[in-house]
Each structure stands twice: as structure tokens, then as C-alpha cells.
Amino acid sequence: MKTTSKNQYTFVNLILIPVVSAVLGYNLYQVIVHPEPSNMAATLILAVITSVMVRKYGYKPVKEEQKN
């Protein structure tokens, strides 16, 4: 079986999920430790956009059967 990506957003989603998770975690830390300089609204918007992208386009490559 050959794994190919028909979905061009698969790779982007695989990168976007850890980046958004790291930013969200850092901003949660900032809210707890230093509430004044944190920017939680922008982070939540980024997390919602990522969630919509993953639900719409998926995050796993499509497996195709190899024809002989």
C-alpha cells in the first residue's frame, strides 16, 4: 500500500496542530503567572481556526491501494 496525500492541507495541519498547542500552552502559562501582558483572545481564535481546518480537511494522509 502506498500512502499519498490527495489532501494538500494534510502536511499543513500536521505542523499547525503542535504549533498552536505550544502557543496555547505558553499563553495559558502567561495568563496564570503574568495576566497583564498575555494575549489569550488571539490564541483562542487561532485554536478555533485550527480546529475548523482539521475538521474540514482532516489530518491524516489518504491511503491508496497500489494497483499491480
Side-chain angles (χ1 to χ4, degrees):
M1 295 179 84
K2 183 179 177 185
T3 303
T4 60
S5 179
K6 284 185 177 180
N7 186 348
Q8 62 183 353
Y9 299 103
T10 301
F11 181 72
V12 175
N13 285 339
L14 289 174
I15 300 299
L16 191 61
I17 293 169
V19 169
V20 170
S21 298
V23 170
L24 182 63
Y26 175 74
N27 279 324
L28 282 175
Y29 166 77
Q30 286 294 92
V31 166
I32 294 168
V33 177
H34 306 289
E36 297 85 20
S38 67
N39 193 357
M40 202 58 194
T43 303
L44 290 176
I45 291 170
L46 184 63
V48 168
I49 291 171
T50 302
S51 175
V52 170
M53 290 271 301
V54 168
R55 288 180 187 179
K56 185 174 181 180
Y57 298 111
Y59 61 93
K60 292 184 180 179
V62 177
K63 291 186 179 181
E64 289 183 352
E65 291 185 24
Q66 186 177 14
K67 295 181 181 179
N68 291 333

